[in-house]
């Protein structure tokens, strides 16, 4: 069960693959936990002889430029692709191996050597010279007495064990350099790191996994950045004037998998209102975009949504809000519902959601006029450029207007200066 490598004893089941490094007569042993050990030999023959020792154990098959321990293979299938004949292997860790041949005879020889092995994939009947891989849901489901020829896997922890005939116990195959494990089950009574109070840490959980749980916090996948703009412009979604049509939206988002396995990220969806207008499957990219070409004329929320881990979501959104504008200008007549359209056509338009404004204008025997939707509060102050209060010099009134862009009938508060003035650069501060 063990082999001396670089001065230490390592379980052969723990070795996932071996590669020759002929440049300096070395073998590279790749371990189940992702590490590797490199051992140099005195000659090429010594290297080859050690290599062959492993091959003779019936556990290893050669694929491309490496040999792999078939005990770690979870599925094997073969296929034809044009003039190529393939063997497709999936390892228990999720790694994929593809062996390519130019004929089906060599391809089938490799395939048969794997599937007919006494060790691969947990199948095959035990023989006098070999055993099989026994997979059980948990360690507690193992037979009360094991077989020294077999290797056992607890599927809930993905740990490998062998039966020690001397101690009459199952021993984890860690090769002498693997991760330490918990020797008993622990139920946490505090919240720490990514583990909530009540979390169960099972016996034989690796110390690395245990440390990750208590020393780190899970970071959920998310949309880390998002922009929503009028199509073909740099104008961000937001306040727009009533009666104006927005001709499309450009969506752009950046996503992050956080600490979750990226394979659990499903898709990015884009919405206009409650309607999903585009779905893009998540791939290796973090940036996704889409251009919506429909028209928007009413209050509408646009949204980007990342779907992960089944139905969980992370969203970013922005809202178009269409409002009536404010107007600042001048007049030389008393305004009413009949003539105010003339004022509106010449006035400065301000599309901002408030009733405050600072404006400068020239007058020639004319009066200031400031008008805004009557739904906003009354002005509390009107000051000139020197900071002097002017509100008592204005007369406010309510006038129903026909809104210039869509002909809506809207009530406006109209503040008009009582006395005409003449001069340049008059400043008024409305609040």
């Amino acid at each position: 069960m063990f082999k001396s490598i670089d001065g230490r004893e390592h379980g052969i089941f723990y070795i996932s693959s071996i590669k020759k490094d002929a440049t300096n007569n070395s073998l590279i042993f790749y371990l189940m936990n992702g590490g590797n050990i490199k051992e140099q030999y005195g000659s090429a023959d010594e290297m080859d002889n050690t290599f062959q020792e492993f091959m003779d154990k019936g556990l290893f098959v050669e694929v491309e430029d490496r040999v792999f321990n078939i005990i770690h293979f979870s599925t094997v299938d073969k296929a034809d692709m044009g003039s190529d004949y393939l063997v497709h292997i999936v390892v228990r860790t999720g790694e994929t191996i593809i062996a390519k041949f130019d004929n089906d005879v060599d391809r089938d020889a490799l395939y048969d050597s794997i599937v007919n092995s006494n060790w691969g994939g947990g199948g095959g009947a035990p023989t006098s010279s070999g055993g099989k891989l026994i997979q059980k849901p948990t360690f507690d489901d193992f037979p009360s007495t094991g077989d020294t020829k077999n290797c056992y896997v607890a599927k809930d922890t993905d740990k490998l064990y062998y039966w020690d005939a001397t101690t009459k116990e199952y021993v984890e195959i860690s090769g002498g350099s693997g991760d330490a494990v918990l020797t008993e089950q622990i139920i946490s009574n505090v919240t720490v790191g990514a583990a909530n109070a009540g979390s169960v840490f099972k016996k034989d959980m690796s110390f690395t996994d245990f440390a990750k749980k208590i020393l780190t916090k899970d970071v959920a996948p998310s949309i880390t950045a998002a922009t929503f703009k009028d199509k073909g412009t740099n104008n961000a979604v937001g306040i727009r004037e009533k009666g104006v049509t927005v001709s499309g939206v450009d969506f752009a988002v950046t996503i992050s998998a956080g600490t979750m396995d990226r394979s659990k990220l499903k898709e990015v969806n884009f919405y206009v209102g409650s309607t999903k207008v585009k779905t893009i499957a998540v791939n290796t990219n973090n940036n996704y975009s889409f251009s919506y070409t429909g028209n928007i004329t009413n209050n509408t929320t646009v949204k980007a949504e990342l779907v992960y881990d089944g139905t969980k979501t992370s969203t970013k959104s922005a809202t178009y809000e269409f409002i009536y504008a404010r107007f600042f200008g001048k007049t030389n007549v008393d305004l009413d519902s009949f003539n105010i359209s003339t004022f509106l056509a010449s006035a400065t338009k301000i599309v901002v959601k408030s009733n405050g404004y600072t404006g400068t204008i020239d007058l020639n025997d004319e009066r200031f006029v400031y008008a805004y939707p009557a739904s906003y509060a009354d002005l509390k102050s009107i000051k000139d450029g020197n900071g002097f209060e002017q509100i008592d010099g204005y007369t406010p009134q309510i006038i129903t207007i026909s809104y210039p862009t869509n002909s809506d009938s809207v009530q406006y508060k109209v503040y008009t200066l009582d006395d005409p003035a003449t001069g340049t650069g008059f400043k008024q501060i409305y609040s």
Side-chain angles (χ1 to χ4, degrees), residues 15-60:
I15 300 168
S16 62
S17 66
I18 309 170
K19 183 177 182 180
K20 286 184 180 181
D21 181 3
T23 58
N24 54 12
N25 299 327
S26 297
L27 292 179
I28 303 173
F29 299 88
Y30 296 90
L31 307 180
M32 192 172 65
N33 67 353
N36 66 75
I37 302 169
K38 188 172 184 178
E39 183 171 47
Q40 188 169 6
Y41 300 91
S43 66
D45 287 343
E46 186 180 352
M47 174 189 70
D48 290 339
N49 289 337
T50 303
F51 184 85
Q52 191 60 44
E53 284 182 31
F54 283 92
M55 293 296 294
D56 291 342
K57 294 180 184 297
L59 280 172
F60 294 86

Coordinates of all heavy atoms in Angstrom, one line a residue, residues 15-60:
I15 N -1.5 8.7 -4.8 CA -0.9 9.3 -6.0 C -1.8 9.3 -7.1 O -2.3 8.2 -7.5 CB 0.4 8.5 -6.3 CG1 1.4 8.5 -5.1 CG2 1.1 9.0 -7.6 CD1 2.5 7.5 -5.2
S16 N -2.1 10.4 -7.7 CA -3.1 10.5 -8.8 C -2.5 10.3 -10.1 O -3.2 9.8 -11.0 CB -3.9 11.8 -8.7 OG -3.0 12.9 -8.9
S17 N -1.3 10.7 -10.3 CA -0.6 10.5 -11.6 C 0.9 10.7 -11.4 O 1.4 11.2 -10.5 CB -1.1 11.5 -12.7 OG -0.8 12.8 -12.4
I18 N 1.6 10.2 -12.4 CA 3.1 10.2 -12.4 C 3.6 10.6 -13.8 O 3.1 10.2 -14.8 CB 3.7 8.8 -12.1 CG1 3.1 8.3 -10.8 CG2 5.2 9.0 -11.9 CD1 3.5 6.8 -10.6
K19 N 4.6 11.5 -13.8 CA 5.2 12.0 -15.1 C 6.7 11.9 -15.0 O 7.3 12.2 -14.0 CB 4.7 13.4 -15.3 CG 5.2 14.0 -16.6 CD 4.7 15.4 -16.8 CE 5.1 16.0 -18.2 NZ 4.6 17.3 -18.4
K20 N 7.2 11.4 -16.1 CA 8.7 11.3 -16.2 C 9.3 12.7 -16.6 O 8.7 13.4 -17.4 CB 9.1 10.3 -17.3 CG 9.0 8.9 -16.9 CD 9.5 8.0 -18.0 CE 9.4 6.5 -17.7 NZ 9.9 5.6 -18.8
D21 N 10.4 13.0 -16.0 CA 11.2 14.2 -16.4 C 12.6 13.7 -16.8 O 13.5 13.6 -16.0 CB 11.3 15.2 -15.2 CG 12.1 16.4 -15.6 OD1 12.5 16.5 -16.8 OD2 12.3 17.3 -14.7
A22 N 12.7 13.3 -18.1 CA 13.9 12.6 -18.6 C 15.1 13.5 -18.6 O 16.2 13.0 -18.6 CB 13.6 12.1 -20.0
T23 N 14.9 14.8 -18.5 CA 16.1 15.7 -18.6 C 17.0 15.6 -17.4 O 18.2 15.8 -17.5 CB 15.6 17.2 -18.7 OG1 14.8 17.5 -17.6 CG2 14.8 17.4 -20.0
N24 N 16.5 15.2 -16.2 CA 17.3 15.0 -15.1 C 17.0 13.7 -14.3 O 17.2 13.6 -13.1 CB 17.3 16.2 -14.1 CG 15.8 16.5 -13.7 OD1 14.9 15.7 -14.0 ND2 15.6 17.7 -13.1
N25 N 16.4 12.7 -15.1 CA 16.2 11.4 -14.5 C 15.3 11.5 -13.2 O 15.6 10.9 -12.2 CB 17.5 10.6 -14.2 CG 18.3 10.4 -15.4 OD1 17.8 10.2 -16.5 ND2 19.6 10.4 -15.2
S26 N 14.2 12.2 -13.4 CA 13.3 12.4 -12.2 C 11.9 11.9 -12.5 O 11.5 11.9 -13.7 CB 13.2 13.9 -11.8 OG 14.5 14.3 -11.4
L27 N 11.2 11.6 -11.5 CA 9.7 11.3 -11.6 C 9.0 12.3 -10.8 O 9.4 12.7 -9.7 CB 9.4 9.9 -11.0 CG 9.9 8.7 -11.8 CD1 9.4 7.4 -11.1 CD2 9.4 8.7 -13.3
I28 N 7.9 12.9 -11.4 CA 7.0 13.8 -10.6 C 5.8 13.1 -10.2 O 5.0 12.6 -11.1 CB 6.7 15.0 -11.5 CG1 8.0 15.7 -12.0 CG2 5.8 16.0 -10.8 CD1 7.7 16.8 -13.0
F29 N 5.5 13.0 -8.9 CA 4.4 12.3 -8.4 C 3.3 13.4 -8.0 O 3.6 14.2 -7.2 CB 4.7 11.5 -7.1 CG 5.7 10.4 -7.4 CD1 7.1 10.7 -7.4 CD2 5.3 9.2 -7.7 CE1 8.0 9.7 -7.6 CE2 6.2 8.1 -8.0 CZ 7.6 8.4 -7.9
Y30 N 2.2 13.4 -8.7 CA 1.1 14.3 -8.4 C 0.1 13.7 -7.4 O -0.3 12.6 -7.6 CB 0.3 14.7 -9.7 CG 1.2 15.4 -10.7 CD1 2.0 14.7 -11.7 CD2 1.3 16.8 -10.7 CE1 2.8 15.4 -12.6 CE2 2.1 17.5 -11.6 CZ 2.8 16.8 -12.5 OH 3.6 17.4 -13.4
L31 N -0.1 14.4 -6.3 CA -0.9 13.9 -5.2 C -2.4 14.2 -5.3 O -2.8 15.2 -6.0 CB -0.3 14.3 -3.9 CG 1.2 14.1 -3.8 CD1 1.7 14.6 -2.4 CD2 1.5 12.6 -3.9
M32 N -3.2 13.5 -4.6 CA -4.6 13.7 -4.6 C -5.1 15.1 -4.1 O -6.1 15.6 -4.5 CB -5.3 12.6 -3.8 CG -6.8 12.5 -3.9 SD -7.5 11.1 -3.1 CE -7.1 11.5 -1.4
N33 N -4.3 15.7 -3.2 CA -4.6 17.0 -2.7 C -4.2 18.1 -3.5 O -4.3 19.3 -3.1 CB -4.1 17.2 -1.2 CG -2.6 17.2 -1.2 OD1 -1.9 17.1 -2.2 ND2 -2.0 17.5 0.0
G34 N -3.6 17.8 -4.7 CA -3.2 18.9 -5.6 C -1.7 19.2 -5.6 O -1.2 19.9 -6.4
G35 N -1.0 18.7 -4.6 CA 0.5 18.9 -4.5 C 1.3 17.9 -5.4 O 0.7 17.1 -6.1
N36 N 2.6 18.0 -5.3 CA 3.4 17.1 -6.1 C 4.7 16.9 -5.4 O 5.2 17.8 -4.6 CB 3.5 17.5 -7.5 CG 4.3 18.8 -7.7 OD1 5.5 18.8 -7.6 ND2 3.6 19.9 -8.0
I37 N 5.4 15.8 -5.7 CA 6.7 15.5 -5.1 C 7.6 15.1 -6.3 O 7.2 14.3 -7.2 CB 6.7 14.3 -4.1 CG1 5.7 14.6 -3.0 CG2 8.1 14.0 -3.6 CD1 5.4 13.4 -2.1
K38 N 8.8 15.6 -6.4 CA 9.7 15.3 -7.4 C 10.9 14.6 -6.8 O 11.5 15.0 -5.9 CB 10.2 16.6 -8.1 CG 11.0 16.3 -9.4 CD 11.3 17.6 -10.1 CE 12.0 17.4 -11.4 NZ 12.2 18.6 -12.2
E39 N 11.2 13.4 -7.4 CA 12.3 12.6 -6.9 C 13.3 12.3 -8.0 O 12.9 11.8 -9.1 CB 11.8 11.3 -6.3 CG 13.0 10.4 -5.7 CD 12.5 9.3 -4.9 OE1 11.6 8.5 -5.4 OE2 12.9 9.1 -3.7
Q40 N 14.6 12.6 -7.8 CA 15.6 12.4 -8.8 C 16.3 11.0 -8.6 O 16.6 10.6 -7.4 CB 16.6 13.5 -8.8 CG 17.6 13.4 -10.0 CD 18.4 14.7 -10.1 OE1 18.3 15.6 -9.2 NE2 19.2 14.8 -11.1
Y41 N 16.7 10.3 -9.7 CA 17.3 9.0 -9.6 C 18.7 9.1 -10.2 O 19.0 10.0 -10.9 CB 16.5 8.0 -10.3 CG 15.1 7.8 -9.7 CD1 14.0 8.6 -10.1 CD2 14.9 7.0 -8.6 CE1 12.8 8.5 -9.6 CE2 13.6 6.9 -8.0 CZ 12.6 7.6 -8.5 OH 11.3 7.6 -7.9
G42 N 19.5 8.1 -9.9 CA 20.9 8.1 -10.3 C 21.1 7.9 -11.8 O 22.1 8.3 -12.3
S43 N 20.1 7.3 -12.4 CA 20.3 7.0 -13.8 C 18.9 6.9 -14.4 O 17.9 6.8 -13.8 CB 21.0 5.7 -14.0 OG 20.3 4.6 -13.6
A44 N 18.9 6.9 -15.8 CA 17.6 6.7 -16.5 C 17.0 5.3 -16.2 O 15.8 5.2 -16.1 CB 17.8 7.0 -18.0
D45 N 17.9 4.3 -16.1 CA 17.4 3.0 -15.9 C 16.7 2.9 -14.5 O 15.7 2.2 -14.4 CB 18.6 2.0 -15.9 CG 19.0 1.7 -17.4 OD1 18.3 2.0 -18.3 OD2 20.2 1.2 -17.5
E46 N 17.3 3.5 -13.5 CA 16.7 3.5 -12.2 C 15.4 4.2 -12.2 O 14.4 3.7 -11.5 CB 17.7 4.2 -11.1 CG 17.2 4.1 -9.7 CD 18.1 4.7 -8.7 OE1 19.2 5.2 -9.1 OE2 17.7 4.8 -7.5
M47 N 15.3 5.3 -12.9 CA 14.0 6.0 -13.0 C 13.0 5.1 -13.7 O 11.8 5.0 -13.2 CB 14.2 7.3 -13.8 CG 12.9 8.1 -14.1 SD 13.2 9.5 -15.3 CE 13.5 8.5 -16.8
D48 N 13.4 4.5 -14.8 CA 12.5 3.7 -15.5 C 12.0 2.5 -14.7 O 10.8 2.0 -14.8 CB 13.1 3.2 -16.8 CG 13.3 4.3 -17.9 OD1 12.6 5.3 -17.7 OD2 14.1 4.2 -18.8
N49 N 12.9 1.9 -13.9 CA 12.6 0.7 -13.1 C 11.5 1.1 -12.1 O 10.6 0.4 -11.8 CB 13.8 0.1 -12.5 CG 14.7 -0.6 -13.5 OD1 14.3 -1.0 -14.5 ND2 16.0 -0.7 -13.1
T50 N 11.7 2.3 -11.4 CA 10.8 2.7 -10.4 C 9.4 3.0 -11.0 O 8.4 2.6 -10.5 CB 11.3 4.0 -9.7 OG1 12.6 3.7 -9.1 CG2 10.3 4.5 -8.6
F51 N 9.5 3.6 -12.2 CA 8.2 3.9 -13.0 C 7.5 2.6 -13.3 O 6.3 2.5 -13.1 CB 8.6 4.6 -14.2 CG 7.4 5.1 -15.1 CD1 6.8 6.3 -14.8 CD2 7.0 4.3 -16.1 CE1 5.7 6.7 -15.6 CE2 5.9 4.7 -16.9 CZ 5.3 5.9 -16.6
Q52 N 8.2 1.6 -13.7 CA 7.6 0.3 -14.0 C 7.0 -0.4 -12.8 O 6.0 -1.1 -12.9 CB 8.6 -0.6 -14.7 CG 8.0 -1.8 -15.4 CD 7.0 -1.5 -16.5 OE1 7.2 -0.6 -17.3 NE2 5.9 -2.2 -16.5
E53 N 7.6 -0.2 -11.6 CA 7.1 -0.8 -10.4 C 5.6 -0.4 -10.2 O 4.8 -1.2 -9.8 CB 7.9 -0.4 -9.2 CG 9.3 -1.1 -9.1 CD 10.0 -0.7 -7.8 OE1 9.3 -0.4 -6.8 OE2 11.2 -0.7 -7.9
F54 N 5.4 0.9 -10.5 CA 4.0 1.4 -10.3 C 3.1 0.8 -11.4 O 2.0 0.5 -11.1 CB 4.0 3.0 -10.3 CG 4.5 3.6 -9.1 CD1 5.8 4.0 -8.9 CD2 3.6 3.9 -8.1 CE1 6.3 4.5 -7.8 CE2 4.0 4.5 -6.9 CZ 5.4 4.8 -6.7
M55 N 3.6 0.8 -12.6 CA 2.8 0.2 -13.7 C 2.4 -1.2 -13.4 O 1.3 -1.7 -13.7 CB 3.5 0.3 -15.0 CG 3.8 1.8 -15.5 SD 2.2 2.7 -15.9 CE 1.7 1.7 -17.3
D56 N 3.3 -2.0 -12.8 CA 3.1 -3.4 -12.5 C 2.0 -3.6 -11.5 O 1.5 -4.7 -11.3 CB 4.4 -4.1 -12.1 CG 5.4 -4.2 -13.3 OD1 5.0 -4.0 -14.4 OD2 6.6 -4.4 -13.0
K57 N 1.7 -2.6 -10.7 CA 0.7 -2.8 -9.6 C -0.7 -2.8 -10.2 O -1.7 -3.1 -9.5 CB 0.8 -1.6 -8.6 CG 2.1 -1.7 -7.8 CD 2.2 -0.5 -6.9 CE 3.5 -0.5 -6.2 NZ 3.8 -1.7 -5.4
G58 N -0.9 -2.6 -11.5 CA -2.2 -2.6 -12.1 C -3.1 -1.5 -11.8 O -4.3 -1.5 -12.1
L59 N -2.6 -0.4 -11.2 CA -3.4 0.8 -10.8 C -3.2 1.9 -11.8 O -4.0 2.8 -11.8 CB -2.9 1.3 -9.4 CG -3.5 0.5 -8.2 CD1 -2.8 1.0 -7.0 CD2 -5.0 0.7 -8.1
F60 N -2.2 1.9 -12.7 CA -1.9 3.0 -13.5 C -2.1 2.7 -15.0 O -1.7 1.6 -15.4 CB -0.5 3.5 -13.2 CG -0.3 4.1 -11.8 CD1 0.0 3.2 -10.8 CD2 -0.5 5.4 -11.6 CE1 0.1 3.7 -9.5 CE2 -0.3 5.9 -10.3 CZ 0.0 5.1 -9.3

